[in-house]
Amino acid sequence: MTAIQVQGLRKSYNTLVAVDGIDLDIHRGQVFAILGPNGAGKTTTVEILEGHRTRTSGSVSVLGTDPARATRAWRARIGIVLQTANDAAELTVAETVRHFATYFPAPADPRAVIEQVGLTEKAGARIKQLSGGQRRRLDVALGIVGRPELLFLDEPTTGFDPEARRHFWDLIRTLAADGTTIVLTTHYLDEAEALADEVAVIAGGRIVARGTPATLGGRSTAKATVSWIDHDGPRSVLTDTPTALVNQLSGGGRELPELTVTRPSLEDTYLSLIGGAR
Amino acid sequence: MTTTLDRGALPGVLTVGLARGAVELKQFFRHKDQVIFTFSFPALILILLGSVFSDTYEGTGVSSGQVFSASMAGAGIIATSFLNLGIGVAEDRSDGTLKRLRGAPVPMSAYFIGKIVLVVVASLAELVLLLAVGMALFDTTLPADAGRWFTLVWVFLLGTIACSLLGLTISSFAKNAQSAGAITNLPYIGLLFVSGVYIPLVVLPGWMLDIGALFPVKWVAQGFRAALLPDSMAAQEPAGTWELGTTALVLGGWCVVGLVLCLVTFRLTARKER
Ligand SMILES: Nc1ncnc2c1ncn2[C@@H]1O[C@H](COP(=O)(O)OP(=O)(O)OP(=O)(O)O)[C@@H](O)[C@H]1O
Ligand SMILES: [Mg+2]
């Protein structure tokens, strides 16, 4: 079953075309990551899906509803973590999460949610006193407290320390295991690789590649680089058959100094994808 | 396969609205800027003005301080309605509060119920504070009879409603909370001068009286004087009477105009943001 279906989505701000014909199909229960450089159109796309922005053209269906005609019942089924928020500065973490829970028909236990995002120690603190990463974790808490079927996260882990990021990943995996559909944008390739079933790379308002993190941009079938050192110095060969090459070079088992066989990392693939789109 | 959870009914609009009201009040009274500049400022001005001018009005036994107390009570509830919403809603718009609510199953009506709770409670508290200061320092007495209490109630209601709606309207013209502070305080302070709050109406030039008479401030202040001062003081008003009928008409008229302006500007800004 599809959670999100998008066809020919376009959005212009006056003369600037921010989204230039995007098609998407996101299945229920999937974790879908959107990557792309600054200004690529990620936030614009996601906020159109959330019903926060209008579109110039194209068709959009989110949980069977056009977000431009969102109802309260539909809103109760989705969770949103915006790219930035500075609201509720004078309230405490616990007050805010508890209050937000009252908006929803079947919310999660606020205390459990605060625990899940690792803010238990800060539950009594005013929001204006939180650090950047803690504030971000609160935003995540507010995104999930309504127990959404579909969760949007726009750069959720900006400002997280490495440990908080790992905790967040575990949280996303738990939600996904419960059947929550998750759409997240990120600049962190390791995050996309760790979480996403599917990745789309957007550049200049268009999707330039899509696939699983392992196969993105033909990564799994890309040529491998074999490097080693011989008496002429460092050598490096790009090949489709690295195993045969190593076998041949080593003459049946001789050690090759500093031998490495590498394929492009997700980051290499990503950089060449967005480089080519520019 | 059914993937739609049975979630039960959405919480009622009133339930959500009252929950918002509680949160609005917490935020208002914890926000130092608001408490100092919106809530306490009229009381401070009252103490200063009342202490500077200590004469009594001839043949009435009423002191300047008593008159300032009544007029400042009017200025006070305009602060807790007009300034409060003008600045508060602009802040909600720029800090993402409104966007967050729009992304949640919260109808706009619940947001407004929350604001109504805020304005009603803050304005009542403001009125109590100013009357308490007046009673403690300047011989202010509570309304002397049922008729005067009635005047106090309807002037309070019409005044807060009209000024709330105008506050909501003006919030749409502010880029952020700081600019909202400027564009609300400018007309507010200006009108306090030409509306007989800081300076008695009888000493103002005619053109100032005419400007003041167009806006709610003068009528709220005059209505409160009618409720809190003896009738002998009516002679000090430019018309020589309390003009309660005109007060009701002008304030009622501003409620209607304010509602229309507020609906139009809210619709326009909601569209512009997306
Ligand atoms: N409200 C707006 N008005 C005008 N232009 C806008 C608006 N919002 C975004 N844009 C422009 O649209 C383009 C896409 O912006 P968007 O915020 O969608 O990018 P993004 O991929 O989310 O970038 P980032 O990684 O920096 O968050 C940018 O060129 C941006 O300047
Ligand atoms: Mg963005």
Side-chain angles (χ1 to χ4, degrees):
Chain A
M1 259 177 93
T2 39
I4 296 177
Q5 208 160 29
V6 175
Q7 265 155 9
L9 179 65
R10 282 167 191 282
K11 168 77 177 180
S12 0
Y13 299 104
N14 298 318
T15 56
L16 181 115
V17 181
V19 176
D20 193 9
I22 280 185
D23 300 315
L24 279 178
D25 254 300
I26 300 175
H27 300 289
R28 294 257 172 143
Q30 214 178 20
V31 179
F32 192 96
I34 300 176
L35 293 171
N38 292 140
K42 301 181 298 295
T43 297
T44 302
T45 303
V46 169
E47 292 204 353
I48 290 170
L49 302 182
E50 294 165 350
H52 274 314
R53 298 192 198 199
T54 55
R55 56 186 187 265
T56 308
S57 63
S59 70
V60 177
S61 165
V62 174
L63 298 180
T65 297
D66 180 345
R69 302 187 204 334
T71 60
R72 272 187 85 195
W74 180 81
R75 293 235 168 264
R77 294 165 63 197
I78 67 170
I80 296 178
V81 177
L82 293 172
Q83 185 167 351
T84 47
N86 305 301
D87 56 326
E90 301 292 340
L91 299 177
T92 70
V93 169
E95 282 169 346
T96 308
V97 179
R98 252 189 275 128
H99 171 67
F100 214 69
T102 65
Y103 297 164
F104 293 88
D109 173 20
R111 198 177 316 182
V113 171
I114 292 170
E115 176 75 46
Q116 277 180 305
V117 299
L119 281 180
T120 302
E121 277 175 27
K122 288 283 173 185
R126 296 273 176 96
I127 291 175
K128 65 178 178 189
Q129 291 158 349
L130 297 182
S131 72
Q134 290 166 343
R135 161 85 230 195
R136 209 65 198 120
R137 290 193 244 168
L138 171 72
D139 288 332
V140 172
L142 297 179
I144 63 174
V145 73
R147 293 203 299 127
E149 284 168 50
L150 167 62
L151 176 61
F152 292 101
L153 303 134
D154 197 356
E155 298 189 23
T157 59
T158 303
F160 279 30
D161 63 46
E163 195 195 349
R165 181 176 306 244
R166 292 302 160 121
H167 279 304
F168 170 79
W169 291 359
D170 289 341
L171 170 62
I172 293 299
R173 290 190 186 110
T174 312
L175 293 170
D178 290 344
T180 312
T181 310
I182 290 162
V183 178
L184 85 150
T185 75
T186 181
H187 287 295
Y188 302 108
L189 296 147
D190 56 340
E191 190 159 288
E193 198 158 25
L195 294 176
D197 302 314
E198 206 172 344
V199 176
V201 177
I202 301 188
R206 294 168 196 264
I207 295 187
V208 294
R210 100 172 257 187
T212 64
T215 61
L216 190 78
R219 190 178 155 208
S220 57
T221 54
K223 286 188 195 318
T225 306
V226 176
S227 310
W228 72 99
I229 292 183
D230 66 12
H231 45 265
D232 293 334
R235 297 280 309 272
S236 183
V237 173
L238 203 59
T239 173
D240 279 322
T241 54
T243 316
L245 178 64
V246 170
N247 189 35
Q248 182 201 333
L249 288 170
S250 73
R254 189 169 53 88
E255 285 302 318
L256 293 168
E258 302 199 13
L259 172 70
T260 58
V261 179
T262 52
R263 290 188 191 275
S265 68
L266 183 55
E267 185 158 331
D268 298 332
T269 313
Y270 173 73
L271 288 174
S272 75
L273 279 170
I274 63 169
R278 268 177 178 164
Chain B
M1 191 178 82
T2 62
T3 38
T4 311
L5 275 77
D6 182 18
R7 289 166 178 275
L10 286 161
V13 175
L14 189 64
T15 314
V16 178
L18 294 177
R20 285 236 32 100
V23 161
E24 293 277 8
L25 281 168
K26 270 184 202 160
Q27 300 196 83
F28 180 82
F29 285 105
R30 285 177 189 175
H31 200 312
K32 282 199 195 70
D33 292 0
Q34 298 264 45
V35 172
I36 294 170
F37 290 105
T38 306
F39 194 75
S40 314
F41 203 59
L44 184 72
I45 298 287
L46 168 59
I47 293 169
L48 292 177
L49 283 178
S51 311
V52 173
F53 302 96
S54 55
D55 46 336
T56 44
Y57 286 83
E58 251 184 61
T60 59
V62 175
S63 70
S64 293
Q66 253 176 292
V67 177
F68 282 132
S69 301
S71 303
M72 282 309 295
I77 65 155
I78 292 168
T80 48
S81 53
F82 177 74
L83 293 188
N84 185 359
L85 289 189
I87 298 167
V89 175
E91 200 165 51
D92 287 349
R93 201 174 276 124
S94 67
D95 73 13
T97 301
L98 275 173
K99 189 166 183 179
R100 193 189 287 291
L101 294 179
R102 258 189 248 119
V106 178
M108 266 316 246
S109 47
Y111 173 74
F112 287 117
I113 291 172
K115 287 295 183 196
I116 292 170
V117 171
L118 168 65
V119 168
V120 168
V121 175
S123 300
L124 276 177
E126 180 77 27
L127 184 60
V128 169
L129 171 73
L130 288 165
L131 290 181
V133 170
M135 287 160 80
L137 303 179
F138 308 117
D139 316 313
T140 296
T141 51
L142 292 177
D145 51 58
R148 283 198 158 75
W149 274 108
F150 178 67
T151 304
L152 186 78
V153 170
W154 69 253
V155 171
F156 175 86
L157 285 177
L158 286 182
T160 46
I161 293 170
C163 295
S164 296
L165 292 166
L166 292 172
L168 290 174
T169 302
I170 206 165
S171 75
S172 305
F173 296 95
K175 286 197 182 59
N176 51 47
Q178 282 90 321
S179 82
I183 65 173
T184 49
N185 269 298
L186 211 65
Y188 174 67
I189 305 277
L191 285 175
L192 291 183
F193 274 99
V194 299
S195 301
V197 175
Y198 291 165
I199 303 160
L201 288 171
V202 283
V203 305
L204 291 178
W207 63 270
M208 275 197 187
L209 286 181
D210 293 341
I211 294 174
L214 294 175
F215 296 97
V217 182
K218 169 203 149 95
W219 301 99
V220 174
Q222 192 169 315
F224 277 2
R225 288 196 294 274
L228 294 164
L229 300 176
D231 281 338
S232 54
M233 281 301 291
Q236 300 294 326
E237 302 294 339
T241 72
W242 293 125
E243 297 180 285
L244 287 177
T246 315
T247 304
L249 274 179
V250 174
L251 292 180
W254 273 110
C255 288
V256 175
V257 172
L259 182 65
V260 172
L261 287 176
C262 167
L263 290 176
V264 171
T265 50
F266 252 70
R267 201 147 298 167
L268 288 179
T269 46
R271 201 160 303 162
K272 195 169 59 194
E273 271 160 26
R274 299 143 47 100

